[in-house]
Structures are given as structure tokens and as C-alpha cells.
Amino acid sequence: MNGRETIENGRAVLGIELGSTRIKAVLVDETHAPIASGDHEWENRLENGIWTYSLEDVWEGLRDSYRKLAADVEARYDTKLKKVGAIGFSAMMHGYMAFDKDEKLLVPFRTWRNTITAPAAEALTELFQYNIPQRWSISHLYQAILNNEEHVKDIAYITTLAGYVHWRLTGRKVLGIGDASGMFPIDPDTKDYDASKVEKFDALIGGKAFPWTLKEILPKVLTAGETAGILTEEGAKLLDAGGTLEAGIPVCPPEGDSGTGMAATNSVRKRTGNVSAGTSVFAMVVLERELKKVYPEIDLVTTPDGSLTAMVHANNCTSDLNAWVGLFREFAESFGIAVDMNQLFGTLYNKALKGDADCGGLLSYGYLSGEHITGVEEGRPMFVRSPKSRFNLANFMRVHLFTSLGALKAGMDILLKEEKAKLDEILGHGGLFKTKGVGQSILAAAINTPVSVMETAGEGGPWGMALLASYMLNKEKGETLADYLSEKVFAGNKGSKMEPKQEDVEGFEVFARRYRKGIAIEKAAAEALIV
């Protein structure tokens, strides 16, 4: 009855995140506890060499996830979802969505997964003396310019997926600072795009005589706690095909999945960090200081309230691992055995804990796409062993869990061993951590750091987005995001903490050496196995 009263009085808060394989909506109550949810599965596709989703996919998925959320509300509380206190939208960061003055998408959405902007990323990194990864929006824009793509002269606005959804639902061309920091470098002092780098970029392309400057086509930057518009009548109809949801709901700044991960794990203070592990994997460490040098393996982004954060991002994590689990399901079903996927994942993941510390000499790469950290331009998932490898199910599952974090480890070694960044705690969230204790122990071994996982780890980004919307709605005057999360959301909820086991740490180091040396095999496969 308390949940029903919260919903009917419009005090619940909604967070929706468009992840790589799932669009999920989470409704929270006044204690920030999830009270209803809905989701929609989707998948990017490779079209003409570009990883993309269609706009039809975006809106079909959003409406389906919202419809399932509304149905969950009705089933649980015998009431209809008509209004909420606030809404927030988030999505996978980076990528390229370019629109003309008539709001037409000029080229298909180019997602973070594409590794097609190396010349642009390298040139901009040199120009700015600041690491500009291939997946950043500015890399995609400059690569389009280098390619002499016809659409560039017609650009009126570029944004991210979260920025696009927010724009269509509110009419406002804005972006949360965390998501904006994956489009173009941010100045932590001004909480806006770095003005000197904007000036350098405009000078770089000045000879092209485009009818726009960079600042004119980028979204306005907002920080956590600011109001970013309201849900319009048109927006309400776009989201809720049933027409029940009321317009006029306040909407917080749209964020990227790194920002929602930081919120969902209470990792926005300095010396805290989190790892989000799903289709891709990334680690966020909130820094006390600038890094000593530029590293292509480490991005500098921000928290949702603008603190400098080191981001180690790997394109590939669990996709190939999930495919192997799917193969085991198909095997079981061939014998007429009905399979519960949660039980199957749990059984296979726990089996990995019984394997040899170094995976018995096995090697695999879950590279469905290229991997910039290891210098691989095209992905070829593969499993490799020698005649002397200890080939059994435990080691097989263990090596696929290890390799899901292999590229991430390469970047984290730079941050923790070379830059000696300080971490008081790191928290894990996302699909890899759903099976209790397994992903947590593998990550602890990979980075030789204690790892905590909260009960809410499975909620991940959409719940984190709901927290950011709640902060906008409920914060007290002068209350920081860090204080709001620590004192009003996570008080008394520290999660389960796991220390790294020395044997596992040493085993992962052995595997990591094998992984780095074997990259030559992965590169050769891309040349020999043409897709």
C-alpha cells in the first residue's frame, strides 16, 4: 500500500537507461528502493561496416520498456502509472548522432563500438595533448571531416544517444557533464567544454569554411542537480504509447552509463571507483590530481557533478562469454533438458572458481569488435590451447571470465602501478557480478584491490539514473551529490567486500602475460579470417 500511495501521489522517480543489449526502466520510491521495472532486449548490428542501432529501434525499445514498467506497476500495486516526481534518461556514452536544421539524422548512428576513427583520434590527441579515444564524438566528427563526408556541411547539432532521447522528450539540447565529457574534453574548473581546445579545433578546420563552429553544434553542459527541462506533451506520447503518462514532469540532465554507474555505486568522491561490466567493461577512478602524462589507454572524463575521473574502457567484455553459455544451453536442450538461464550462469560461473589459478594454460579473446587498449582493429572471438594445456570445464569457464577483464587490466595496471592513483574502495556492478562472489573475485584478482558489490548491483545504470533524478528533485540547499548518495541513499549499505586472494592475483598475472603475448594471434586472425 505504501508503494501504491507513492505512485498515485506522483512521488516515485523514474530512471531509464539504454544499454548495449537492454533498455531498462526502474521506478524508485522515496527511500530510493526499486519498486517496479521493465526492460527490452535489443542488439546493435553491423551495417556497411558500422555498428549501429536505428532510430526505430530506439523508440520501439523505449516504449516497450516503459510499457512493461507500467504493467509491472499495475500488477504489483493495482494502479496506473500516470505521473512521477522526476525522470532521468541515460545511455551508453560516446558515438555520433548528427542532425541537420530540420532535425533529420544525417548518417546512421555510429555507436561507441566502432573503431573507425584512428587517424582523427591520433591527430586530436596530438593537437590537444589530451587523450582523445576513437569512440568519442569529436573523433567521429573530425574523421567525417577527414573523409570529406558530404553530410558535415549540413550539421546543425551533434549529440549522444542519451542527449538525443532527452531532446526529443523535452525539446532541450542539453547533456549532463559526465556524458558531455565523452564528447569533448571538459574543463573541471568551468564545468564546461575546455575553451582553449574548442578554439584549437575551430582553427584546425577553419579552412573548410563550414557554416558552424564547434560550440554551436554541441549540447549545453549541465551538472547533476540542475533541472534540464520538463516532459512535453509530445514527449509523453512518444514514451507512453498508451497515453496515460502526464506531461510536465521535471527531467534531470541526461547522463552516460559511466555517470550512472558512479551514482549507482556511490563512487563520486575522490579516491573511490567502480567497474561496470556487461557488453563492454569500464573502470572509473575519481582522481585527486591530473595524470602525469597522456595515455591512450586512459580517458579523462568527469563524475555527474564534474570531478575529474580516469576511465579505462574496453569494448569487449561478456558478449562472447554469454555466447558460450548459450551454446551450453543449446547442448542441454538437445537432450530435452529445460534450462533455467540464471541457474546455468550460476553453475558455470561457480565452476570457474574451481579451475587452476592461471586457467591451466588456456587462452581466449572475446573480441567481437576491435580493442583499442591492445591495438586490435577488428575483433575475432577465439579460444586457443596448446597440447599441454589443462582443458576442462572449470578452466574453460575461468579463462573466459579472465579474458572478459583482460583489456581492462592492461589499462588499470597503468593507472594503479605507474600513476599510483589511490583507491580507498572499488565497487562492481553490471551483469558480470550477478552470480554472487564470482565476478567479484575475478575482478579483485585482476586489479589486486578489494572489491565490493552491493545488493543493488544488478540494478546498475537505470537505478543510478533514478538516483540522479531523485537528487535533482529532493536535494537540500548546498547539498552535494556525494553527500546525498552517502547519507540518504547508501547509509548502512556498504555491500559485501571481497579481498583479493594472493594465489588468484598471481594466477591472473601469469594469464595476463599469456594474454598480451597472444595478441599477435588475434591480429593474425583478423587478417586470415575475413568477414
Side-chain angles (χ1 to χ4, degrees):
M1 290 300 295
N2 289 337
R4 177 175 177 175
E5 181 182 339
T6 297
I7 292 165
E8 291 182 338
N9 289 337
R11 296 197 301 267
V13 171
L14 175 60
I16 300 180
E17 182 161 285
L18 295 93
S20 300
T21 58
R22 186 172 65 155
I23 301 172
K24 185 173 182 180
V26 171
L27 196 68
V28 303
D29 63 15
E30 292 155 297
T31 71
H32 309 99
I35 55 175
S37 66
D39 66 0
H40 169 88
E41 291 187 2
W42 69 339
E43 187 59 72
N44 57 186
R45 43 183 176 260
L46 189 63
E47 296 182 351
N48 300 315
I50 301 292
W51 289 104
T52 189
Y53 303 83
S54 72
L55 297 188
E56 291 76 18
D57 291 340
V58 172
W59 294 109
E60 177 188 339
L62 274 169
R63 282 190 285 266
D64 187 45
S65 63
Y66 181 83
R67 180 184 60 78
K68 289 173 180 173
L69 170 81
D72 192 32
V73 166
E74 194 160 0
R76 288 173 182 256
Y77 306 105
D78 193 27
T79 190
K80 291 188 178 297
L81 185 59
K82 297 180 180 179
K83 57 184 177 181
V84 294
I87 305 180
F89 298 96
S90 58
M92 50 194 134
M93 288 177 68
H94 317 297
Y96 182 70
M97 301 188 81
F99 298 86
D100 66 14
K101 59 182 176 58
D102 298 319
E103 302 182 357
K104 175 188 174 184
L105 185 66
L106 291 167
V107 290
F109 171 33
R110 298 170 182 177
T111 77
W112 58 268
R113 198 169 196 172
N114 290 286
T115 52
I116 55 175
T117 66
E122 290 170 10
L124 293 174
T125 296
E126 178 64 26
L127 176 69
F128 297 151
Q129 287 300 294
Y130 191 99
N131 184 36
I132 305 295
Q134 287 200 50
R135 65 188 178 279
W136 279 30
S137 306
I138 194 62
S139 294
H140 282 280
L141 174 62
Y142 189 47
Q143 190 64 52
I145 293 171
L146 293 177
N147 294 347
N148 294 310
E149 295 186 35
E150 183 68 20
H151 79 273
V152 176
K153 67 179 181 357
D154 299 320
I155 292 174
Y157 182 49
I158 64 171
T159 191
T160 64
L161 181 56
Y164 164 69
V165 169
H166 183 95
W167 170 36
R168 289 295 308 277
L169 296 180
T170 67
R172 294 197 61 191
K173 296 178 179 178
V174 301
L175 205 58
I177 192 169
D179 205 7
S181 69
M183 292 191 77
F184 192 87
I186 293 289
D187 182 338
D189 294 328
T190 64
K191 302 288 193 282
D192 201 353
Y193 303 113
D194 188 311
S196 66
K197 293 180 177 60
V198 170
E199 187 176 324
K200 286 181 179 180
F201 184 83
D202 284 337
L204 177 66
I205 64 169
K208 300 287 186 179
F210 294 124
W212 47 261
T213 63
L214 183 60
K215 195 71 181 282
E216 289 172 347
I217 64 173
L218 288 172
K220 180 182 178 182
V221 178
L222 300 176
T223 56
E226 294 187 73
T227 301
I230 61 170
L231 186 68
T232 63
E233 292 283 353
E234 178 188 3
K237 292 174 183 175
L238 265 175
L239 185 58
D240 179 16
T244 303
L245 185 65
E246 298 176 2
I249 298 166
V251 186
C252 72
E255 263 299 346
D257 47 4
S258 71
T260 59
M262 285 187 271
T265 55
N266 192 23
S267 304
V268 299
R269 291 190 194 276
K270 291 178 174 60
R271 296 173 64 109
T272 64
N274 77 90
V275 170
S276 173
T279 303
S280 65
V281 58
F282 54 84
M284 312 294 297
V285 177
V286 187
L287 300 173
E288 295 180 289
R289 57 168 176 81
E290 293 266 6
L291 299 182
K292 296 172 186 174
K293 55 185 282 191
V294 175
Y295 298 94
E297 301 88 351
I298 299 174
D299 310 353
L300 292 175
V301 292
T302 78
T303 62
D305 56 350
S307 294
L308 189 66
T309 302
M311 179 181 189
V312 179
H313 182 285
N315 286 350
N316 302 278
C317 185
T318 61
S319 292
D320 190 48
L321 176 60
N322 293 344
W324 281 108
V325 175
L327 190 70
F328 286 118
R329 177 185 65 183
E330 185 179 344
F331 172 80
E333 289 175 346
S334 297
F335 285 88
I337 301 170
V339 177
D340 176 276
M341 288 305 290
N342 288 330
Q343 183 180 5
L344 180 59
F345 269 101
T347 300
L348 292 173
Y349 274 36
N350 277 293
K351 191 75 174 177
L353 298 183
K354 299 177 181 179
D356 295 315
D358 72 338
C359 308
L362 305 183
L363 179 62
S364 70
Y365 296 95
Y367 288 7
L368 267 71
S369 62
E371 192 58 76
H372 70 286
I373 291 180
T374 52
V376 174
E377 293 186 4
E378 289 187 55
R380 298 292 186 272
M382 64 166 60
F383 168 68
V384 185
R385 63 188 176 103
S386 76
K388 294 183 179 180
S389 299
R390 291 178 294 282
F391 185 38
N392 55 48
L393 183 58
N395 282 337
F396 182 81
M397 291 307 303
R398 189 175 181 89
V399 77
H400 281 90
L401 282 163
F402 270 33
T403 202
S404 69
L405 300 176
L408 179 82
K409 176 176 172 55
M412 288 298 287
D413 278 355
I414 293 171
L415 193 61
L416 300 177
K417 294 178 181 179
E418 295 184 28
E419 282 287 332
K420 301 193 185 306
K422 302 300 181 184
L423 262 177
D424 291 333
E425 59 180 336
I426 196 157
L427 294 103
H429 64 110
L432 186 68
F433 301 102
K434 283 188 176 180
T435 300
K436 187 174 182 180
V438 179
Q440 190 175 3
S441 68
I442 300 297
L443 176 60
I447 61 175
N448 194 18
T449 300
V451 176
S452 295
V453 174
M454 298 180 181
E455 292 179 4
T456 49
E459 300 296 342
W463 183 64
M465 194 65 238
L467 298 183
L468 292 173
S470 295
Y471 173 62
M472 176 197 70
L473 184 67
N474 299 313
K475 71 181 186 304
E476 297 176 14
K477 186 176 180 179
E479 186 175 28
T480 67
L481 177 61
D483 287 343
Y484 184 86
L485 293 173
S486 294
E487 296 167 14
K488 295 182 176 176
V489 178
F490 293 97
N493 179 16
K494 299 299 182 184
S496 61
K497 187 175 183 179
M498 183 173 288
E499 299 284 340
K501 296 178 182 177
Q502 189 59 33
E503 180 185 5
D504 289 342
V505 172
E506 292 171 359
F508 209 115
E509 291 295 338
V510 173
F511 165 78
R513 291 193 289 272
R514 186 185 314 134
Y515 178 93
R516 289 191 293 270
K517 193 170 184 179
I519 290 295
I521 309 171
E522 178 70 21
K523 290 180 177 179
E527 294 180 6
L529 184 62
I530 307 300
V531 295

